[in-house]
């Protein structure tokens, strides 16, 4: 895989944003496969309202976001109301995130996040544009990727290192249990508890390591009055899905090979 944008193909564009759009979309079209099934990707016609790429074989769709420098914790997206509505619909695309060095046109990172990891809690509403702006009152949003579990961040390229196709497909397949979680509320609990487990940063941990997150989880789910029971329920679900291993009473192990 060539980790450099081909600057010559955008020489006819004067706008910097148009140039980088052409360069990054061309690179993805030539270099990236569908992480769901491994097939080649196709490019939507320009200005598609939903996504940038799609797979003819499995019908998955992908929206590309590109950024110079480090990815950071947040990715700028479009209208807040549109994003929230998309999360509730069936046509919400998966996301591709690409970071590059504008001085060398080198690709530093390229990852995908399956659409079922996107819940309203990770969408941050920005301030409305001022009355003097061309789109006065318009409200955009940021995607807070720091609130997405590491399990849902599947790298094709990480810090300039290319991951194998088999690794990408395997990691994507291991997220299917999240897709099967239909309710947004239920999915929110699952992802929040998974995030707490990842924050412990231990390969083996106990319930007593997770219970200190009770206040954090209560703040995110104020209607639940038995948070500890909910934590145990979600850990059991993660164990049943092979994300966690059960060591003994109240003891779990992160299954490193699954991550």
């Amino acid at each position: 895989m060539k980790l450099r944008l081909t600057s010559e193909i955008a020489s006819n564009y004067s706008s910097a944003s148009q140039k980088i759009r052409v360069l990054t979309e061309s690179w993805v079209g030539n270099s990236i496969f569908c992480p769901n099934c491994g097939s080649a990707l196709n490019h939507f016609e320009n200005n598609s309202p939903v996504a940038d790429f799609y797979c003819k074989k499995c019908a998955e769709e992908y929206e590309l976001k590109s950024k110079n420098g480090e990815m950071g914790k947040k990715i700028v997206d479009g209208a807040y109301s549109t994003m929230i509505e998309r999360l509730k619909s069936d046509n919400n695309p998966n996301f591709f995130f690409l970071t590059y060095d504008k001085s060398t046109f080198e690709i530093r990172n390229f990852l995908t996040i399956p659409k079922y990891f996107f819940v309203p809690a990770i969408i941050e509403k920005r301030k409305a544009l001022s009355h003097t702006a061309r789109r006065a009152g318009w409200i955009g949003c940021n995607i807070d990727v720091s609130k997405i579990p590491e399990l849902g961040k599947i790298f094709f390229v990480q810090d300039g290192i290319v991951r194998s196709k088999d690794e990408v497909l395997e990691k994507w397949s291991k997220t299917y249990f999240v897709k099967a979680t239909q309710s947004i509320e239920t999915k929110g609990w699952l992802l929040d508890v998974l995030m707490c487990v990842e924050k412990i940063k231990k390969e083996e941990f106990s319930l007593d390591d997770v219970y200190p997150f009770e206040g954090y989880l209560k703040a995110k789910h104020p209607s639940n009055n038995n948070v500890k029971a909910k934590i145990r329920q979600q850990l059991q679900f993660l164990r049943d899905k092979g994300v966690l291993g059960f060591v003994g009473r109240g003891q779990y192990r992160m299954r490193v090979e699954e991550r």
Side-chain angles (χ1 to χ4, degrees), residues 52 63-80 83 86 94-100 109-113 118-126 138-148 152-153 155:
D52 299 302
E63 181 175 340
L64 174 64
K65 297 291 181 182
S66 302
K67 182 181 179 181
N68 171 50
E70 299 299 320
M71 186 168 72
K73 293 183 177 181
K74 298 176 183 179
I75 302 292
V76 177
D77 198 58
Y80 175 78
M83 172 57 86
R86 280 170 53 180
N94 306 287
F95 275 83
F96 283 152
F97 293 107
L98 181 155
T99 66
Y100 62 94
N109 294 282
F110 185 85
L111 68 151
T112 182
I113 299 177
F118 285 74
V119 292
I122 71 168
I123 307 302
E124 178 185 81
K125 182 188 289 188
R126 300 205 306 268
W138 183 84
I139 300 174
C141 69
N142 298 319
I143 301 170
D144 192 342
V145 293
S146 70
K147 294 181 179 179
I148 297 175
K153 301 171 185 176
F155 284 85

Side-chain angles (χ1 to χ4, degrees), residues 17 21 25 52 73 90 92 126 169 181 213-214 243:
S17 61
R21 178 186 62 79
E25 289 184 0
D52 299 302
K73 293 183 177 181
D90 294 329
N92 185 35
R126 300 205 306 268
L169 294 174
T181 307
F213 292 97
E214 182 181 7
V243 180

